[in-house]
Amino acid sequence: MNKRVAAHFLLVSADRVVRLGGVGADADGRISEVFSLVDAQYEPANTTFVDGWIAPFLIDVAGLKSDGLPVALLLFARQNGVAITVGNAATLFNYTVQEDGSVSATSLLPYFV
């Protein structure tokens, strides 16, 4: 069964951020689709929505404030050439802003298992 997760922003690559974007993965953990909820005609089945950003890498968020998150994610993606590619396995992380303005990062692996 294909499982999907979506967020306010999906960082596909340093050159592509999808607003209200999501990804689907097959049973083997390979990315099967990248989509936008804005373009969806209907709500995609088996989709979990998480707050914040989804990115295909983990960065150190210690001391990072909410206003610096987009820049930090895009800069890391650009410097390291990291991207979400259909057909490839990806380790995805969710970046969220806490009430105090700090940023946390968690693995999205549990959503796909």
Side-chain angles (χ1 to χ4, degrees):
M1 172 190 295
N2 208 23
K3 293 185 179 180
R4 297 175 184 90
V5 64
H8 292 100
F9 299 97
L10 171 68
L11 189 146
V12 178
S13 69
D15 300 319
R16 183 176 176 211
V17 173
V18 179
R19 186 178 148 272
L20 295 175
V23 297
D26 63 20
D28 296 326
R30 295 194 189 294
I31 300 299
S32 57
E33 64 182 321
V34 173
F35 61 90
S36 169
L37 294 173
V38 173
D39 298 333
Q41 298 284 331
Y42 53 88
E43 184 176 345
N46 301 314
T47 303
T48 301
F49 191 86
V50 295
D51 194 25
W53 287 74
I54 295 173
F57 50 79
L58 180 62
I59 62 171
D60 181 8
V61 295
L64 187 62
K65 294 294 183 186
S66 62
D67 57 350
L69 179 59
V71 172
L73 293 174
L74 290 167
L75 185 61
F76 186 91
R78 184 169 314 277
Q79 290 176 340
N80 295 283
V82 184
I84 296 173
T85 306
V86 172
N88 289 340
T91 303
L92 302 174
F93 294 89
N94 175 222
Y95 295 86
T96 56
V97 178
Q98 305 303 308
E99 286 185 25
D100 66 358
S102 65
V103 177
S104 66
T106 56
S107 171
L108 289 175
L109 183 60
Y111 291 100
F112 294 107
V113 184

